Amino acid sequence: MTQGIVTPQTQALAEGKLSREELKVLMQRSDGPAIRHLALWVLVLAGTTTLITFAWNSWLIWPAMFLQGIVLVHHFSLQHECVHYTVFRTRKLNNIVGQICGFIILLPHRFFRYEHCDHHTYTQLYGKDPELIPMPKTYGEYLFYLSAIPYWKTKFTEVSRHAMGRLSDAEKRFIPKEEHAAVFRDARIILGTYGLIFAGMAVTGWWGLIWYWIIPLFLGEPVMRFIRMTEHVGRPTVAKMSENTRTNLVSAPWRFLCWNMNYHAEHHYVPLVPYHTLPRLHKKLRAHVHVEPGGYLGAHRDILRQIQEAQA
């Protein structure tokens, strides 16, 4: 007799945490929530852009660009949801929005989709999870990761390598051979378009995008690194979903910016549940997953405690 494959979803069903009827309702996709969310998103982005304009000839431009950067780097959260095809009802619209987000933050959408699929398959397993963030051994390693220097080094190297038609051995494992050429093409399109934009600024003499987009992106990325660490870092490197992933209870503005990805353990349990129904799924699974009531700061206190204990 063949035993069925046990996944986080089937485990939750078997343990009575969810019923199939409840799951069916939670997994229904709708354009409405995303359209409303995006409308407010554009207003917030317009607001931070206006702050930069008003502060143009003042030192206040730096905090304004930092706020702009926080919003810009959170396009990752929207792209992440588009990778799962859960923001909009149609795959086409998810792909279009995901590609736009990926262009903004230098993360080609097709490549990210394949990489992220392996992350869900091998969450927190060393040598298999391509998105695994190693637990820092020292406070220096912790701060270095938060600086986003390792992140940008990896991204620039990654996209440049793809544009030259090369994949790493790890990438060859999770990117289908028939998609290699498409991944190379995507990287060339992004870098080529960036080149055209910079050439256009050089010709016109207007370098505004440096201040509205590029500098804010670099200023904001440490915030995204701070948030990404809270998802898995410091949790056991085991396959058990209730142990290897954190859910962080955060305030409404952060939930808005991260498209409810603070409910990360619930997302890993049932990746096909749209972002707007994750709070409802949380009510069903909160006793079954690891919840950090202190939010992002609480997660970092836990990480720092573990570093201290390791050095003692």
Side-chain angles (χ1 to χ4, degrees), residues 90-158:
T90 63
R91 293 173 72 91
K92 182 178 181 180
L93 195 50
N94 279 291
N95 278 332
I96 291 172
V97 173
Q99 286 164 358
I100 293 171
C101 291
F103 176 80
I104 292 171
I105 62 173
L106 189 63
L107 182 57
H109 192 62
R110 190 191 317 264
F111 169 77
F112 179 40
R113 185 169 66 241
Y114 286 117
E115 179 186 58
H116 195 65
C117 179
D118 248 30
H119 167 63
H120 273 267
T121 303
Y122 304 109
T123 305
Q124 279 292 84
L125 299 182
Y126 278 108
K128 292 186 176 182
D129 180 356
E131 295 181 14
L132 187 145
I133 303 169
M135 176 69 189
K137 296 182 178 66
T138 65
Y139 295 122
E141 288 184 6
Y142 169 81
L143 292 174
F144 187 53
Y145 177 81
L146 289 180
S147 73
I149 292 172
Y151 171 78
W152 284 120
K153 180 182 178 181
T154 297
K155 285 299 120 187
F156 287 129
T157 301
E158 194 175 80

Side-chain angles (χ1 to χ4, degrees), residues 216-230:
L217 199 61
F218 282 99
L219 291 176
E221 191 56 44
V223 175
M224 181 53 64
R225 296 303 98 204
F226 184 86
I227 292 170
R228 291 300 306 279
M229 282 190 84
T230 68

